[in-house]
Each structure stands twice: as structure tokens, then as C-alpha cells.
Amino acid sequence: MNTKTISELSELLAAGECTSVDIVNDVLSAIDERDGRVGAYLTLDREAALEQAEAADEARAGGQTGALLGIPLAIKDLLNVKGQPCTCASKMLEGYTAPYDATVIARLREAGAILLGRVNMDEFAMGSSTENSALGKTCNPWNFDHVPGGSSGGSAASVAADEAIASLGSDTGGSIRQPAAFCGCVGLKPTYGMVSRYGLTAFASSLDQIGPVTKTVKDAALLLEAIAGHDQKDSTSVDVDVPMFGKKLTDDHSLAGMKLGLPKEYFVEGMDPEVEQAVRDAVEHCKNLGAEIVDVSLPNAKYAIAVYYIIATAEASANLARFDGIRYGMRLDGKDPIELYGKTRAAGFGSEVKRRIILGTYVLSSGYYDAYYLRAQKVRTLIRNDFIEAFRQCDAIIAPVTPTPAYKIGEKSADPLKMYLDDILTTPVNLAGICGMSIPCGFSSGGLPIGLQILGDSFKEENILKVGHAYEQTTDWHKRKPAIQPV
Ligand code: GLN
């Protein structure tokens, strides 16, 4: 049962052909069998999961319905779930217990979903490979020598290894879409403001969004529907109607009448030819489904990395000031508060987090603020304007997610700049605030998944889901499973 999707399981549950307890037991067995090798989970609350499953089965017997009722999900370890740890994969937060539920978690609880456990990530979501986790190593289920991507690497690995039916991740510069691409899952970053950030440990507040990592586009639609919508606890959440995304995905897989934009700047130098070929084949496939392909241009996208690593680090330096040894988690004593802060932060944060705090403090410091931060904000507007212009000519944009498939563990960890450069195709989306999704579109000759990125204008999730669903349902990449040998 653990290999099935949300929509398949919700039908079986509704027909009385299985119980939520059955599903949770199957998922727990898969975790026992595989997670010793995959390393997706940081903490697992078996008893609580089974209690929630029993409660879901009772609720169903009492008449409650809904796609997520009784479905077990893995949660990225930066979302607050009352009573559970929330380490952000940092030593800084070891021992911290969340005192409240994030809004997305409260909504999942209302829908009757089961919160299985917490999955690994790059420390405070800073990274692209999950190698920056201070708490453990996560491997790519398709090849254990390779990274699962990041920062939501545990989310993608757990879903790809069938150790969760679906997962929630967060995406500041690609952290849902890139691990989804590396692990052969679907990952959706919603429009900024679509999903409440209340209870998400902030990395870069103007870029962060929570979103689903799933096995199919339909499942992403169902999970998004459950977590999206206005929340007065997050002033940046927008009061828009949330469509019934799941219901809108039908068996009609025609893309006739849709215009898909192909940005020439997204086929970057140094791109792996197999990735380029898989994406070009996907474009051809969409054309065969009836879509009209139009050339669009995003001339300022090439500045996205520079702009992102100024804005994201600036915001991170401010957001992470709260981890001072007084309020949360770790504390090392000192003779005065300054020494206490210094010792705690020196011991609690890993090197990538420190690098970003230092960079962010620098670009915000007097004398450099105008030259770096303010300038970056202006270029961010240009990047946003490029997308506005492009979406005048098309309904969605299709592109690669990453320049290469998943690389080997250790291959890029010694060279942060090399790793930053790989974010070239994902960061423009966060800077512009629009929505984007990654879906499987092929495999490299080495057997690693390749992702297709589908971008939509703000609050046009419906468009990207439609294109993604049509593509997925007429191809079979999403049906392939990694062969995982038990420990
Ligand atoms: N890889 C990017 C970074 O290191 C994106 C991370 C994210 O989206 N959280 O910042």
C-alpha cells in the first residue's frame, strides 16, 4: 500500500477496501526495511502515527470524508508540529520541542492526515544536497552514492523510496523542485502568498514558500488544496479563492489552446546534454498533446544567482538572529550575554549557515547596503518584469529544473560557489514570486531521474497543474521505482 498515491489510497479507503492503520503499518515497514540506507527520517513517532490512523478510521466510520483523511505524510524538519522536535537539521535546535502547530499542519490535522515523522534537510534550508544537515546523511534512493538534492532532500527521498505517501517541503530558491527532480518526484512551489508561512522556520521571508512533494501531479493538487489559502497569522498570505485543484484534473489530456513558452536563456552553458534532450523531448510531447510552443525571453534571469545570494543571505542574517542561546535550543554559558551568544552561535551553527550570516550581515552593513542589497532589489524587479512580459505571450513556461541530474555525495560540498551556480534555473521563480513545479521527464544513462520545470504566473497554479497532469498521464516516467535493496 505504501507504493500507492494519495488519490489511489483515498479511493480504497472510501470503498472500505483498506484502513488507514493498514497504510501506516505498510509505510512503517518500508521505513524499517529501507531507511537505514536512505536516511530520510530524523524522527519517527510510530505510536502517535498509529493513534492518528485509528482516529482517522473512526472519523471515516463516523462520516468524515476527504482526500487526505488517513494518509501518512512526512514533514520537513523546519515546520512546527506541536509537541514534536523541530531541529531544522541544526545542532542549534537539538532538544527544542515545538509549542504550536504551523498553519499548514493545523490544516492537515483538520483534513485528517497523519503526521508520520520529520525528514532531513540542509541546515536551516541552506543548501542543495542535504549534505549540510548536522544530523545525518540522506542518500538518493535511485543510487545511494548520489545526493537526493536539497534542501528538502528528506522529503523527496522519503517519497521516492515509498517511505511516505507524500511530504511537505519548503522552497526558497529551489528546495522543493530540485530534490523532486533529483529523486523523480513531483514538487510544487506555490505562488508567494498562496500558502501561510506561519510556523515555518524562516530562512528568507520574502522568498520562502511551503509546498507538496508527491508521486503524481494530482497528489500535488490535492495537498496544495488542503494547505493553501489566506491566514491572518501571516500578513503576506493573500486572500484569494483556492480552486479545487484536484477536481480540475480530468482524463482529458489535450493541451489544445494552451501556449507554452520556451525560454532560450534556460538552456544554459554547461548543461548536461541528456538533461537538455529530455526536456526538449518533453516540449515535443506537449506539442503533440496540442500545445502551441512559443519562444519567450527572460534576459535578466542570468543575474538571479547573484541577486538571490544577496537577498536570501541578507534576510537569513536577520531571521537567524533569534537563535541566540536564550530563547531556543542550545545554550553555552558565558561570563556575560555577549560571550553566551558568541559561544552558542559558534557551536550551534554549521559552516554554511555561518557563511550566509556573514555574507548577509555584510551586504546589509552601512556603506554596502546601497551597493549590494538595494541594487539586488532593483534587479529583482527586472527579473519579475521579464516574467510578466513572458506571461503576456504564454500560459505556462517549460524548462529544465537543474543543469545536471543528481551528483555524487561529496562532489560539490567543498565548493559552495559551484553548488550555488546550480540554482540558476530555480531561483528566478522565487525572486519573481510566481509558481513552479518539477515533474519527472526522463532518466540519464546512469539511471538517475531528470525533472521538467513548469512555471506559471502568480496564482495560476491551475495552469501548471494542467500541463503537468497531461504530460504525466501520457508518459510513464512517474511509474518507475528505484530498486532498493534492504539493509
Ligand atoms: N539551494 C538554495 C540555497 O542554498 C535554495 C535553498 C532553498 O530553497 N531553501 O539557498
Side-chain angles (χ1 to χ4, degrees), residues 310-370:
I310 290 171
I311 294 175
T313 56
E315 293 184 16
S317 72
N319 274 327
L320 269 62
R322 64 173 61 99
F323 302 108
D324 54 8
I326 306 286
R327 286 170 287 179
Y328 313 88
M330 176 188 274
R331 177 183 303 168
L332 295 187
D333 280 325
K335 64 179 183 315
D336 53 34
I338 299 295
E339 194 181 289
L340 182 153
Y341 299 154
K343 277 176 142 181
T344 307
R345 288 167 68 85
F349 290 137
S351 57
E352 181 61 29
V353 174
K354 285 181 189 152
R355 182 178 297 117
R356 302 221 185 177
I357 292 173
I358 293 168
L359 261 173
T361 308
Y362 178 76
V363 299
L364 288 176
S365 59
S366 105
Y368 295 104
Y369 180 93
D370 288 5

Side-chain angles (χ1 to χ4, degrees), residues 170-233:
S170 66
D171 191 315
T172 305
S175 277
I176 289 176
R177 290 160 287 154
Q178 184 259 25
F182 278 10
C183 291
C185 309
V186 174
L188 194 157
K189 184 209 88 78
T191 304
Y192 187 79
M194 183 74 168
V195 177
S196 167
R197 291 178 296 110
Y198 179 75
L200 163 75
T201 312
F203 163 10
S205 305
S206 76
L207 302 161
D208 298 341
Q209 271 292 290
I210 302 163
V213 177
T214 58
K215 295 174 192 173
T216 61
V217 172
K218 178 94 178 247
D219 279 9
L222 294 170
L223 203 43
L224 178 63
E225 212 174 288
I227 60 171
H230 182 239
D231 174 20
Q232 55 185 26
K233 291 183 186 140

Side-chain angles (χ1 to χ4, degrees), residues 76 78 122 124-129 132 150-152 170-178 203 207-208 308-309 312 352 356 419-420 422-423 426-427 430:
K76 185 176 182 180
L78 81 180
D122 285 296
F124 287 104
M126 298 174 186
S128 308
S129 64
N132 294 336
S151 62
S152 312
S170 66
D171 191 315
T172 305
S175 277
I176 289 176
R177 290 160 287 154
Q178 184 259 25
F203 163 10
L207 302 161
D208 298 341
Y308 171 83
Y309 278 95
E352 181 61 29
R356 302 221 185 177
M419 208 174 293
Y420 296 173
D422 280 353
D423 296 335
T426 48
T427 48
N430 305 71

Side-chain angles (χ1 to χ4, degrees), residues 100-125:
Y100 68 103
D101 277 340
T103 295
V104 292
I105 298 297
R107 291 189 178 166
L108 289 180
R109 281 197 206 272
E110 256 168 61
I114 291 161
L115 309 168
L116 256 184
R118 324 269 314 162
V119 279
N120 205 10
M121 54 185 281
D122 285 296
E123 184 176 6
F124 287 104

